[in-house]
Amino acid sequence: MQWSEMQRSELCLLVLSLLLPQCGSSVTPRVSFSLGSPGRALTSFLLHDVQNCTTLLLSPDHHILYVGAQDAVLVLDVRHRQGISLIRKLEWSPTEKDTEECSMKGKRVEDCANFIRVLEFLNRTHIYTCGTFAFSPRCVYIDTETLSMSQRSDEGRGRCPYDPYQPNTAIAVEGELYTATVADYRGNRPVISRHLSEAARGDLKLDDTLGWLEEPTFMRSMFVPVEEKIYFFFSEVGREYDFIDRLLVSRVAQICISDVGGQRTLQRRWTTFAKAQLLCQDDGELPYNLIQDMDILPPEQGAAPEDTLFYGVFTSQWRLKSGLSAVCVFSLGSFRSAFSGSYKVLNRDTLQWSSRLHEKIASPGECGLHNASDSALRFVKENFLTDESVRPVDKRLTLVSQHSYSHISVKRVQAANGRPYTTLFLLTVTGLIHKVVLLQTGPHIIEEIQVFKQPQTITSMKLSKDVIFIGMSGGVLSLPMANCSFYRTCAQCVLSQDPFCGWDSGRRVCAEVGRSVTTVLVQDVEQGQVDDVCVSSLTHRTLFGSHMPTAPCPPGVLVTVSLNEVVRLHCPAPSLLSRQQWERPNSRLSEELYLQLEDGSLSFVATPATLGHYLCVSVEKGFQQTMAVYQVRQNSIPISSSSNAPTQLITEHLTKPFTEHRTHPRGPPTSTFPLHTVRSVHRDRGFGKAPEGPCYLKELLIVSGLLVLCFSLLLTLLMYTVRMHCHNRTAPQPPTPPRPRGGTIEPHPKGQRSSTSSNGHLPNIPL
Ligand SMILES: *[C@@H]1O[C@H](CO)[C@@H](O)[C@H](O)[C@H]1NC(C)=O
Ligand SMILES: *[C@@H]1O[C@H](CO)[C@@H](O)[C@H](O)[C@H]1NC(C)=O
Ligand SMILES: *[C@@H]1O[C@H](CO)[C@@H](O)[C@H](O)[C@H]1NC(C)=O
Ligand SMILES: CC(=O)N[C@H]1CO[C@H](CO)[C@@H](O)[C@@H]1O
């Protein structure tokens, strides 16, 4: 049966709308840990009287974590992996009078606290911190030697928002503080400014010039020393697209730290402010236009500064078919070329933006314009939006996800062979961390770890050398970047494709790269091919004549059944990417008698033909592993006498030491992960009291079994089609040619491309 392209896409849309958000999942995490899983234990720091720990600052030696909370700054000792301890709690709250005044103005009492939103090292000995202070922002110094706050506080207007729900960003460079926030009570006067400037040069800010900022939401700021520039990342209304109502766009803006403002024109204002559109968009789709977070990755040793990379997560103003959020990577080189290129010009009468046609008087975005002429500065003041948008590296999205990512942190990890791998830590609004390694073949989600359950309004994430810190309303969490010992075999260790982990064949453990100095670790981050690297450690190679490498066999389980009973055998999945298949020695599992369920378990009716041995093999990247061995035997007690008794269990000594095992009438909830060494088998006794001998029940069963099989086959086919289609859109895309300038919004969806799967089998996503 061959469906036409049209039918397929219609069907796909239909199923998509039915199955969202499960369908279209671009990349499935290989393993998933729910909250509290022992395999990925979290260390938490919770104090009953501390809330909203949402601003994090790590000391340069990574020994101390400063936490901006509600009415306090916490100083935490994070030196030890096993626990976080409190060094000092620096209380800083508004007086009762302040709180009263705040709530008199109509604010909720709980929002009239002091929410710390700026926490930056000014120099070796002093931290500068600002808080909302009951809708009247204040700033103080913290002496990191005496761990005390200065008595005198500064006015925090323009440094910290009034409203604790307003996003802001701040960064200190050489003792001066650069901030982007709203500078009024109502929250509609955005400003990018410099404070605590050296005496010889004044503080600077953005003029209220038309169009410099258009209702921005500030996300991040970063200092790039080679450029002597600070980059600000935010989203705002894209007025240059005035044909679309309130189209939001993401921006990167720059200022030079050497800026001192103009002498007459642009006095005490930035002369180096410029902004460009950041475009995170796939061909033929609406853009992911709302930046959520950005992190910087310095160039590799010996590489040019232009190769400094910026990793951003973006969501969309619209509901996109491909996903809820995307990761895009930009290079410093692309920022440079955008800011040194041509600029758009705003016609002040018509409020229309156009590309410049007139002569260029000065170079906007250039550092060192302070002694420039008035006409040059006027030109700079009018020309601040670059003509070119900044496009991602290779003109494609790095990752598309069905999750809504809110934070990103990037780390370059040295694999066992010394090769560097870029690893991303992505936090979703719903509390999942995705650890992703970027391979030549595309992104691979090594693991998914649930870190909180209640969605959080404001969170933050910071990486130290080997730990991830998460600040949220309830406290601070820390999670090691890897737990290699979770992988117990060489195969699992290699299949994880985790650059942090390698197999130590001497000690027979999966060890952290860099920690095990004595031996060479076995690893294949790029391919995850077990047979290439684990061969020496595999002992049992053939069972049932398999020629592919297999891991040692688990002990067998004896299952006793009555004839005509429906039997269900479980098969634990070692990962969400593995495929489970069932085998019997010297016999084929015909589809008429057997039903393999979505969770990998096998269901069939006990008949003389179906008694015997069963083996469940999981296959991942061509590597086979026996996950379960069963022997199904007929209950020796006559069925009539046991029909009302609890399930009987007979243990016998077989050729292999079979483990004794109890059946549950309904069975425990099945978990596909983590790998259990003790398997559970449960039997459905719905058809229990069938009489012996020929009867129609068996036929009925087989027919209904067939019906279910047909239906599930159809469903699988459907899902497969949809998934292939969706998978396609998110598989690594070939580089696309640059699109015409300004032509960024094209809301018509493109047709399907031909289906090719990256790994040739259906990813095993639990539905
Ligand atoms: C790592 O995983 C192992 C095996 O599941 C577990 O025993 C151990 O506690 C885990 N360690 C951490 C730090 O999560
Ligand atoms: C650090 O900054 C603080 C506040 O501006 C100042 O008092 C102190 O002297 C500075 N310390 C050093 C070592 O520069
Ligand atoms: C700008 O001009 C002032 C005086 O006019 C001079 O002192 C200063 O060195 C000049 N700065 C630069 C960077 O040329
Ligand atoms: C401003 C802010 O983030 N407030 C949050 C503080 O934490 C409580 C829960 O503990 C949230 O409800 C507030 O929204």
Side-chain angles (χ1 to χ4, degrees), residues 285-299:
E285 268 219 340
L286 290 166
Y288 290 90
N289 57 332
L290 304 177
I291 187 166
Q292 301 299 324
D293 195 15
M294 187 65 103
D295 198 12
I296 186 171
L297 187 68

Side-chain angles (χ1 to χ4, degrees), residues 50-54 70 108 110-111 115 117 132 163-166 456-459 472-474:
V50 174
Q51 278 191 65
N52 294 302
C53 299
T54 46
Q70 179 179 332
R108 298 191 308 170
E110 59 266 40
D111 294 338
F115 296 91
R117 300 300 293 280
T132 58
D163 183 333
Y165 298 99
Q166 282 278 353
Q456 301 281 315
T457 42
I458 300 169
T459 54
M472 47 181 225
S473 70

Side-chain angles (χ1 to χ4, degrees), residues 7 181 212 543:
Q7 278 171 317
T181 183
W212 274 22
L543 230 151

Side-chain angles (χ1 to χ4, degrees), residues 492-528:
Q492 288 306 314
C493 190
V494 170
L495 282 170
S496 73
Q497 292 179 274
D498 189 333
F500 287 89
C501 300
W503 184 253
D504 180 337
S505 41
R507 291 192 296 138
R508 302 191 58 75
V509 290
C510 189
E512 234 172 275
V513 175
R515 287 191 170 235
S516 158
V517 278
T518 47
T519 45
V520 179
L521 296 180
V522 167
Q523 205 184 36
D524 182 8
V525 178
E526 200 60 60
Q527 308 281 338

Side-chain angles (χ1 to χ4, degrees), residues 263 368 370-372:
Q263 276 160 355
H370 23 273
N371 282 356

